[in-house]
Amino acid sequence: MSRNRRICPNDVLDAAERVVLKSGSSGLSIDAVAKEAGISKSQVVYDHKTKSGLLEALVDRQLQRDGDFVKESVASCSETQHPELFGRIKAAATGWEEAERAVCMAVSASLSSDDRLQELMQQWQQNDLNAIKAGPKPRAALVAYMALSGFSCMELFGFHKWSH
């Protein structure tokens, strides 16, 4: 009798990222992730319940990574006039990795039909906006941040490649 291989939750999310990279958001399924991770479907269902739950976990992990990176970037810009804004500009200058891009595209494809994903993304965006508004010249910083967000989206969706 064979035993199921034990893997940590990050291994399942790594497998989900690989599925999205290979097959896009339409290829993301509990079955595909289980196969990619080399585990049973029931193990994925136990941790994430549904495809939406799996996608939420992917988003949550990516937002945590992004948040940590932005915090580091903001800290490195502590001597500037507006560390929150300049830190985000510095973070955006690194560009997008393929796994980040794939997860973002999967999220974009699912946002219209998934209320929980919308809530996660809105909260993330609101946290950024609150941080930007807390510094000096909040209106000017907000306009600059909105432009930065637009530039990032242009690059994310492959409409324009910025030189970094």
Side-chain angles (χ1 to χ4, degrees):
M1 183 169 177
S2 68
R3 299 178 75 193
N4 285 341
R5 184 170 75 98
R6 289 249 185 237
I7 64 171
C8 73
N10 275 330
D11 293 337
V12 173
L13 296 179
D14 290 344
E17 282 183 359
R18 289 190 302 273
V19 168
V20 170
L21 276 168
K22 290 177 191 173
S23 307
S25 61
S26 63
L28 183 66
S29 68
I30 298 287
D31 287 326
V33 172
K35 184 177 178 181
E36 180 69 30
I39 59 174
S40 70
K41 179 179 174 179
S42 63
Q43 284 183 284
V44 179
V45 170
Y46 180 79
D47 287 337
H48 301 287
K49 312 298 183 247
T50 63
K51 177 182 172 179
S52 290
L54 182 61
L55 195 52
E56 280 179 37
L58 268 176
V59 168
D60 192 49
R61 181 170 80 162
Q62 189 57 47
L63 291 178
Q64 185 65 42
R65 286 175 178 166
D66 184 63
D68 292 345
F69 184 63
V70 166
K71 282 179 189 174
E72 290 173 18
S73 297
V74 167
S76 74
C77 293
S78 63
E79 302 299 318
T80 65
Q81 289 178 318
H82 198 304
E84 289 291 340
L85 178 60
F86 286 96
R88 281 169 174 74
I89 291 169
K90 181 178 180 180
T94 63
W96 294 91
E97 293 183 15
E98 283 307 307
E100 292 172 322
R101 185 182 311 274
V103 170
C104 285
M105 297 303 266
V107 169
S108 296
S110 301
L111 271 174
S112 65
S113 62
D114 192 316
D115 292 340
R116 179 66 186 134
L117 279 179
Q118 287 180 18
E119 289 172 21
L120 282 172
M121 297 302 292
Q122 287 169 348
Q123 184 59 49
W124 170 67
Q125 190 64 55
Q126 192 59 54
N127 290 342
D128 270 6
L129 292 172
N130 290 341
I132 291 297
K133 291 179 199 175
K137 298 184 181 179
R139 189 166 173 81
L142 181 60
V143 170
Y145 175 75
M146 298 298 267
L148 176 64
S149 296
F151 293 148
S152 291
C153 285
M154 293 282 289
E155 186 169 57
L156 171 66
F157 291 111
F159 300 144
H160 186 76
K161 177 72 175 157
W162 305 99
S163 58
H164 297 282

